[in-house]
């Protein structure tokens, strides 16, 4: 396999999007059907290239596209973690474009929309295929630039405010992330920022500056967590729901938020390294921030009446599940983080697309407007039921698997702390070989206080979030399937019985059995059904994926 192929999934959609913009300037692509075929075709081609890279038998190695200066290289490489993220986006994007084609049919500025939508695919693939911190940071910055026009697309006052807020948050977060890049390069044992399992820091040199580096890591973690919408850096995400649903679905399920979580995992396990971080106060700060964000997001979702904003707060909570699992800094922790990253991608994009289908067909955007729609849109709400039960964490659905892994990782972290505590707790050195850094780095700090008990609290937070998720997701289903009826409207043999007043269809209180389905056409339904089926399949049989993730976790830690 030619190594140059590694950069194609990042560059091909970028070039394709630019072609759309230039063609639109000269009046081409005025035919919507041709625009859709071009965009879908290029997306499928890019996903096939990603599949070739992911499942290829040959070692892909690395490919340096160009050098900025010195050891700063824009380099592409596909390792285990990259395969997981690339596989997720490669599978979801063609289905998202198919859904978007029908959803945007009657919208304005469609050509510009699909140009940026396509370029976002390339930039997200670039993050997945990044071989070092420099390359990932470069694409992370560009991701802000290509998604900003998508948030701004409606060009309403609310969209302009949301776009500016998104820009401010993202640029501020990138500045903090840049500090991490500078310090990693300065203390790198290899002289570059290449992603290496266990990190690239020179531990002897880092040990003399450990407190400074801990602060820098926390700042960089916060910077990357802006896109992961961690509290209190989440303010841009609920506002961004003013964008079209195909945009918000990818922002909340894959492109932006998953890129933030993916970057945090890379920074933790491949740049700074858990040998340097594990047991330090910064690990517990990372864990505590994720727990607070989970509680905040799930609580706010219960209070929110706007359907898409409710799902946005749900994203805030669920993305912090990934950060919480990553903070365990163990093989099981990275397995839990990556499994939830994959499963949440399917669950959340399915939920958003269901909400978008309802909005597209009925114009209803608030929870209290959904009464009775479950019977009028059986396929849409059937898929939403699968996604909702999975988000709650009901057994036999994918969400249960990832949440179970997170709980196991939390218990494992807490028990390791107790074992170290019982073994002396005075910082006498490594208890578990290779699991904790030497005394000079901070091994003793894991047992120098009571912070380790925080891992037990993570399990309680997971249970609380599951309860809140049950409330804010199942409330929608109850309204849709079991509306409050204020009058009876019964049809027998095709004859309608009206008693005192006309049956008002818009109220949602009168459901006609003979009424035709309000489900959208196949272009919007096919992605929903596929997502629901995959959620069920992963819930029933996730062993191959879990085994693959265990290999990644074992190789990283």
């Amino acid at each position: 396999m030619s190594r140059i192929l590694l950069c194609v999934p990042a560059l091909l959609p970028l070039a394709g999007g630019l072609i759309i913009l230039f063609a639109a300037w000269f009046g081409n692509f005025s035919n919507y059907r041709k625009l859709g075929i071009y965009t879908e075709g290029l997306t499928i081609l890019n996903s096939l290239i990603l599949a070739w890279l992911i499942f290829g038998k040959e070692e892909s190695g690395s490919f340096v596209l160009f050098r900025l200066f010195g050891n700063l290289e824009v380099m592409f490489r596909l390792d285990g973690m990259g395969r997981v993220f690339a596989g997720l986006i490669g599978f979801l994007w063609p289905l998202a474009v198919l859904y978007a084609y029908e959803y945007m049919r009657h919208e304005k500025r469609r050509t510009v929309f699909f140009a940026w939508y396509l370029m976002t695919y390339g930039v997200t693939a670039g993050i997945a295929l990044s071989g070092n911190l420099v390359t990932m940071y470069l694409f992370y910055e560009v991701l802000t630039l290509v998604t900003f026009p998508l948030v701004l697309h409606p060009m309403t006052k609310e969209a302009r405010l949301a776009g500016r807020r998104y820009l401010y948050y993202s640029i501020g977060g990138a500045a903090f992330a840049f500090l991490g890049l500078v310090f990693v390069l300065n203390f790198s044992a290899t002289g570059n920022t290449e992603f290496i399992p266990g990190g690239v820091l020179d531990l002897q040199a880092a040990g003399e500056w450990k407190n400074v580096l801990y602060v820098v890591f926390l700042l960089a973690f916060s910077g990357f967590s802006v896109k992961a919408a961690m509290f209190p850096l989440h303010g841009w995400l609920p506002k961004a729901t003013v964008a079209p649903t195909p945009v918000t679905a990818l922002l909340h399920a894959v492109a932006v938020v998953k890129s933030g979580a993916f970057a945090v995992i890379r920074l933790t396990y491949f740049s700074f390294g858990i040998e340097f971080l594990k047991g330090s106060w910064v690990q517990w700060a990372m864990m505590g921030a994720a727990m607070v964000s989970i509680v905040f997001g799930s609580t706010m979702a219960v209070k929110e009446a706007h359907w898409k904003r409710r799902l946005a707060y749900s994203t805030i909570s669920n993305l912090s599940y990934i950060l919480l699992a990553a903070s365990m800094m163990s093989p099981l922790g990275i397995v839990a983080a990556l499994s939830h990253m994959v499963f949440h991608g399917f669950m959340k994009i399915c939920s958003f697309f269901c909400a978008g289908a309802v909005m597209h067909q009925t114009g209803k955007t608030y929870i209290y407007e959904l009464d009775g729609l479950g019977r009028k849109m059986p396929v849409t709400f059937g898929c939403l039921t699968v996604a909702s039960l999975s988000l709650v964490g009901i057994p036999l659905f994918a969400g249960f698997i990832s949440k179970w892994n997170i709980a196991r990782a939390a218990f494992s972290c807490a028990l390791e702390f107790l074992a170290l505590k019982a073994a002396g707790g005075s910082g006498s050195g490594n208890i578990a070989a290779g699991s904790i850094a030497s005394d000079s780095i901070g091994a003793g700090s894991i047992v120098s206080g009571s912070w380790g008990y925080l891992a037990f609290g993570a399990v309680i937070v997971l249970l609380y979030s599951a309860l809140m998720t049950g409330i804010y997701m199942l409330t929608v289903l109850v309204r849709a399937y079991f509306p409050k009826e204020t009058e009876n409207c019964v049809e027998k043999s095709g004859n309608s019985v009206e008693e005192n007043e006309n049956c008002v269809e818009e109220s949602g209180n009168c459901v006609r059995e003979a009424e035709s389905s309000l489900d959208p056409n196949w272009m919007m339904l096919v992605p929903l059904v596929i997502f629901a089926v995959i959620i069920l399949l992963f819930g029933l049989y996730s062993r191959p994926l879990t085994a693959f993730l265990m290999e990644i976790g074992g190789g990283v830690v």
Side-chain angles (χ1 to χ4, degrees), residues 130-210:
S130 296
N132 56 30
L133 190 57
V134 171
T135 308
M136 188 181 74
Y137 179 81
L138 175 65
F139 279 102
Y140 188 83
E141 285 275 50
V142 176
L143 183 62
T144 300
L145 301 180
V146 297
T147 52
F148 172 68
L150 293 173
V151 176
L152 202 62
H153 182 80
M155 295 303 291
T156 61
K157 180 180 178 181
E158 292 78 9
R160 289 193 293 269
L161 291 173
R164 285 203 298 269
R165 176 171 291 200
Y166 172 60
L167 201 60
Y168 298 155
Y169 272 81
S170 296
I171 292 175
F176 286 124
F178 183 73
L179 290 176
L181 169 61
V182 171
F183 275 81
V184 167
L185 182 62
N186 188 61
F187 286 92
S188 173
T190 61
N192 56 45
T193 62
E194 186 175 353
F195 289 135
I196 298 175
V200 297
L201 294 186
D202 182 339
L203 294 182
Q204 183 175 357
E208 300 174 2
W209 292 82
K210 65 176 183 178

Side-chain angles (χ1 to χ4, degrees), residues 25-46:
W25 180 267
F26 293 103
N28 296 325
F29 279 125
S30 57
N31 186 304
Y32 187 58
R33 184 169 179 270
K34 291 182 179 178
L35 175 64
I37 292 174
Y38 173 84
T39 307
E40 184 68 47
L42 202 59
T43 303
I44 292 174
L45 175 61
N46 207 55

Side-chain angles (χ1 to χ4, degrees), residues 1 21 36 48 57 70 72 192 195 282 296 310 323 364 376 401 473:
M1 180 189 345
L21 289 179
L48 290 176
K57 300 298 183 182
L72 298 182
N192 56 45
F195 289 135
V282 77
F296 171 81
R310 174 175 288 194
L323 302 182
K364 301 181 186 299
K376 299 178 184 179
I401 304 298
M473 292 302 295

Side-chain angles (χ1 to χ4, degrees), residues 76-123:
F76 296 91
R77 187 177 61 203
L78 189 62
D79 59 5
M81 268 196 61
R83 291 176 195 273
V84 174
F85 193 29
L88 178 64
I89 63 175
F91 187 89
L92 294 182
W93 224 282
L95 294 171
V97 171
L98 180 65
Y99 180 98
Y101 176 78
E102 177 61 25
Y103 190 95
M104 300 297 294
R105 183 181 294 275
H106 302 293
E107 297 290 329
K108 298 178 181 179
R109 303 171 60 245
R110 299 173 302 188
T111 304
V112 174
F113 172 88
F114 279 104
W116 294 113
Y117 207 64
L118 189 58
M119 284 191 278
T120 302
Y121 184 15
V123 176

